[in-house]
Amino acid sequence: MRSRIFFVSLFAASAAFFSCHQQAGAWERGHVKINPFVKFEEQYDTNIFYDPTDPNHDFISILTPGVTSEFGFGDQGRQKVRANYKVDLGMFAKYHDQNYGNHDVLGEVELNFGENYRWTTGDNFLFTSDRAGTEFEDRTLRKLNTLYTLFEADYNKFGWDAGYSLYNVDYLSDTLDSIDRYENALWTTAYWKIQPKTKVLLEFKYTNIQYPDASGRNANDFRIMTGLKNEITAKISGIAKVGFKVKDYNSKTNPDWYNVCAEIGVDYAYNDRTNFLFSYV
């Protein structure tokens, strides 16, 4: 496990040694914006099969064409409808059988009520074989879908939000039916500004996890955390949280689990609709 964590950390820090991003020609008329783009990234992976005993290396070229679109309506176009699509086309120099195409589709509606309230709802669909965040050594095709809604309130020194999401994982391989699952999550977060650029936060999240073909895995997950959020620059913010997590399995064959949890992260706002989050949980 340690060797894999070290490899992932090293890879994230240095393997993406060349990357470029180019707008293909944005189109805007009134409150309608359409932005086609293309991104090219070159990576060097020292262990493409995640094998600690017999690592294999390769160069990977990743071409990402896509388009973002936004339609504003209402007073001064403050209400938004968005539709985005991109595909990551990964091409291996040596191991061509590892080539992949990951599709990402997003539809979203944002409604603003006055200066203090905002409601956002949307759906994000991915068709992917990406191994990031999994323990798979082979690329495994699956469909991921996240339906979400979020209500936010922001006052001078105090703010809060509450949200719901339905996350579904569907593996294409019949041999992996037992780990198909869906997760219903509810959460709320309260913020209190103690300095011009620093907020104290308190959050609670509840997740119900259901495995249709493996009910013994079904569980309820509870998490409460508190911490600080700091605006480092206009585009970069940092967050540090600590709390407690409990996982309550429905089946008596799986022992319940609880422990202290912590999270440290940096959020970089690349532009109005694109954020990069680097975190350790």
Side-chain angles (χ1 to χ4, degrees):
M1 178 62 72
R2 288 183 178 179
S3 61
R4 177 177 294 180
I5 293 174
F6 173 78
F7 162 72
V8 173
S9 301
L10 178 64
F11 175 74
S14 63
F17 60 88
F18 174 76
S19 178
C20 65
H21 186 281
Q22 179 67 47
Q23 296 285 344
W27 181 87
E28 182 173 351
R29 178 172 294 178
H31 298 307
V32 179
K33 301 177 184 178
I34 299 177
N35 295 298
F37 65 87
V38 62
K39 176 183 175 183
F40 179 77
E41 181 177 346
E42 191 70 24
Q43 295 182 354
Y44 177 70
D45 193 330
T46 60
N47 191 351
I48 63 172
F49 297 113
Y50 292 13
D51 188 342
T53 60
D54 184 22
N56 292 276
H57 60 86
D58 204 349
F59 287 93
I60 311 166
S61 301
I62 304 174
L63 180 66
T64 306
V67 61
T68 65
S69 63
E70 180 179 278
F71 169 67
F73 63 97
D75 183 27
Q76 300 180 353
R78 293 182 67 242
Q79 320 307 331
K80 310 289 186 182
V81 176
R82 303 183 181 96
N84 301 337
Y85 171 76
K86 70 174 183 178
V87 55
D88 294 324
L89 302 172
M91 295 160 282
F92 287 71
K94 183 177 179 181
Y95 295 93
H96 302 297
D97 60 340
Q98 294 297 303
N99 292 353
Y100 62 86
N102 296 332
H103 300 264
D104 187 333
V105 183
L106 172 72
E108 186 178 78
V109 176
E110 177 188 309
L111 301 178
N112 293 277
F113 305 95
E115 298 298 325
N116 304 108
Y117 305 100
R118 178 170 59 187
W119 176 67
T120 307
T121 189
D123 189 85
N124 188 197
F125 173 79
L126 289 86
F127 182 78
T128 181
S129 63
D130 192 1
R131 290 174 296 187
T134 74
E135 296 184 358
F136 294 121
E137 295 182 356
D138 298 320
R139 295 193 175 276
T140 305
L141 283 171
R142 59 197 182 278
K143 295 180 287 185
L144 311 177
N145 194 80
T146 305
L147 177 68
Y148 59 91
T149 187
L150 177 68
F151 182 80
E152 300 169 272
D154 188 13
Y155 307 102
N156 185 28
K157 286 186 174 292
F158 175 75
W160 67 274
D161 62 54
Y164 165 79
S165 67
L166 173 59
Y167 173 70
N168 179 263
V169 185
D170 181 14
Y171 291 91
L172 269 64
S173 173
D174 292 338
T175 61
L176 297 175
D177 282 346
S178 62
I179 56 175
D180 287 347
R181 72 182 188 279
Y182 60 88
E183 301 178 2
N184 287 281
L186 292 165
W187 71 90
T188 185
T189 308
Y191 303 90
W192 184 263
K193 185 182 292 186
I194 57 174
Q195 294 290 337
K197 295 185 177 182
T198 305
K199 297 178 181 179
V200 175
L201 64 89
L202 177 65
E203 68 176 28
F204 173 78
K205 184 176 183 180
Y206 163 72
T207 306
N208 176 256
I209 307 169
Q210 296 289 321
Y211 290 82
D213 296 316
S215 59
R217 296 171 178 257
N218 296 346
N220 293 299
D221 188 285
F222 304 87
R223 187 183 71 180
I224 185 168
M225 302 187 78
T226 186
L228 295 174
K229 185 174 183 180
N230 180 258
E231 184 181 327
I232 302 171
T233 68
K235 289 191 173 185
I236 301 176
S237 61
I239 190 168
K241 299 184 289 185
V242 64
F244 196 74
K245 182 175 181 178
V246 176
K247 196 166 188 177
D248 178 20
Y249 286 96
N250 295 350
S251 173
K252 294 181 179 180
T253 58
N254 285 327
D256 296 340
W257 179 90
Y258 58 90
N259 207 339
V260 174
C261 56
E263 180 179 334
I264 299 175
V266 176
D267 191 358
Y268 171 55
Y270 178 75
N271 56 37
D272 290 342
R273 295 303 306 158
T274 304
N275 285 62
F276 296 98
L277 179 63
F278 307 91
S279 64
Y280 176 79
V281 180

